[in-house]
Amino acid sequence: MTTVAELNSGHMPQWCPGCGDFGILIALKGALAKLNISPEETVVVSGVGCGSKIPHFIKTCGFEGLHGRSLPPATGIHLANNKLTVVAIGGDGDGCGIGLGHFMHTMRRNLDFTYIIQDNEIYGLTVGQASATTKKGVITKSTPHGTPEDPINPPLMALSAGATFVARGFAGDIPHLTDLIAQAISHRGIAFIDCFQPCVTWRKDLPYDLYQKKCYKLEKEGHDTSNWDAAVARARETERWPIGVFYKIDKPIYTDQIPFIKDTPIAKQDISNVNIDKFVEEFL
Ligand SMILES: Cc1ncc(C[n+]2csc(CCOP(=O)(O)OP(=O)(O)O)c2C)c(N)n1
Ligand SMILES: [Mg+2]
């Protein structure tokens, strides 16, 4: 039986008081406990940023990578042992700026893991520069006259790349986010969650109560999660901000199509008889 208490690492987050990352951490621990997933068989993989410090604060296996590079190690870990529960997580700068190429390729491969973007629409750790999800016109430290660029829309990107589970959560609604993360982890295939995450220090113009006012739940409006066009239409909404599952379909996953890891993970295979030297020679 996995409990939330068991998932506490004992290290106190240094996030600003009120940071949305606290809600995401609580929801992630809650989802793992709800699904009774063993911490030893879970790997939380991040990049660099305020939110990316999360592997320090949860007692699972973990890996904090380079900026924008949570997804390559998450892919490697999953392919080395596809029986593990892998959760990749990082900021909007991490996933939609420097790591955007990895984001798109990971979505199209239908690997069987979860990716969460802590989307505060700002570079938090580097003290307040505009990110790829910052809306046009927003004044930040790096855009004193308002950002001149249109933002990236993460759920729309995931849908267009072919992701088989696409959702959006809000760090201020922990029960709802916990349930979304549990659904994402349970999904067989790539599961993406764009998580609204208030940054109380650098985005004072995006407070919790604005999200509360704007957000509505897709599941309360009879949204058909198997309809890609309907999902795209919801993802494109700007007046009201949908949270919940946009899209979910079943499709063969990446490893189903790789015979030698389909049933037995590489990490569990006996390689004592493999002649590594002969293999290396081929590359010399
Ligand atoms: C290759 C590289 N480029 C730039 C940086 C500097 N840097 C560190 S965190 C960061 C952005 C953080 O923003 P985000 O990913 O949104 O995370 P947040 O801090 O908002 O949680 C940047 C640009 C870096 N560490 N490595
Ligand atoms: Mg950010």
Side-chain angles (χ1 to χ4, degrees):
M1 186 75 192
T2 303
T3 62
V4 170
E6 204 182 319
L7 292 164
N8 291 335
S9 74
H11 298 287
M12 280 303 287
Q14 308 92 337
W15 295 320
C16 306
C19 175
D21 283 328
F22 285 101
I24 299 173
L25 175 62
I26 295 168
L28 178 57
K29 288 192 285 192
L32 291 170
K34 187 173 174 175
L35 297 173
N36 196 21
I37 296 177
S38 139
E40 291 84 11
E41 288 174 4
T42 304
V43 193
V44 177
V45 187
S46 70
V48 171
C50 295
S52 285
K53 300 212 176 284
I54 202 163
H56 298 256
F57 313 129
I58 182 162
K59 203 172 170 192
T60 59
C61 301
F63 185 87
E64 194 181 342
L66 299 173
H67 186 43
R69 303 289 182 270
S70 67
L71 292 170
T75 300
I77 292 162
H78 166 62
L79 292 180
N81 188 349
N82 51 325
K83 303 291 178 218
L84 297 173
T85 296
V86 175
V87 178
I89 185 163
D92 44 305
D94 204 82
C96 297
I98 192 168
L100 184 67
H102 299 304
F103 176 30
M104 297 303 277
H105 289 298
T106 306
M107 294 301 115
R108 80 182 169 87
R109 289 184 182 130
N110 206 26
L111 297 148
D112 187 16
F113 66 81
T114 298
Y115 178 43
I116 303 169
I117 290 189
Q118 297 146 307
D119 193 355
N120 54 11
E121 301 185 21
I122 199 79
Y123 287 181
L125 189 71
T126 47
V127 299
Q129 298 83 10
S131 81
T133 62
T134 308
K135 305 280 186 319
K136 190 171 181 171
V138 173
I139 292 172
T140 69
K141 271 201 175 174
S142 60
T143 57
H145 306 292
T147 168
E149 299 168 340
D150 281 316
I152 274 173
N153 177 331
L156 198 56
M157 298 289 277
L159 285 164
S160 64
T164 53
F165 180 104
V166 178
R168 188 192 275 137
F170 168 43
D173 188 340
I174 296 172
H176 185 258
L177 182 60
T178 304
D179 182 56
L180 271 188
I181 298 176
Q183 285 190 62
I185 292 172
S186 307
H187 175 69
R188 196 167 185 276
I190 195 72
F192 171 65
I193 303 176
D194 179 41
C195 188
F196 285 150
Q197 180 243 317
C199 173
V200 293
T201 301
W202 304 111
R203 288 303 307 266
K204 292 193 193 310
D205 57 323
L206 269 180
Y208 281 85
D209 55 358
L210 181 65
Y211 285 106
Q212 265 142 7
K213 209 162 75 193
K214 291 270 200 178
C215 287
Y216 77 91
K217 291 181 176 149
L218 286 164
E219 56 272 26
K220 291 205 172 145
E221 301 212 354
H223 169 65
D224 175 5
T225 56
S226 66
N227 183 330
W228 189 84
D229 292 312
V232 166
R234 296 279 185 173
R236 294 187 67 212
E237 282 189 58
T238 51
E239 270 315 299
R240 296 192 308 154
W241 300 344
I243 58 172
V245 179
F246 289 90
Y247 189 59
K248 175 173 163 49
I249 53 158
D250 291 326
K251 208 177 132 180
I253 59 171
Y254 189 94
T255 48
D256 282 346
Q257 298 156 88
I258 315 276
F260 68 95
I261 49 175
K262 192 167 166 284
D263 301 317
T264 313
I266 296 174
K268 305 271 183 206
Q269 290 181 23
D270 178 10
I271 54 163
S272 53
N273 291 329
V274 175
N275 185 345
I276 301 284
D277 293 339
K278 189 167 158 278
F279 194 61
V280 171
E281 265 169 35
E282 283 182 34
F283 291 92
L284 295 175

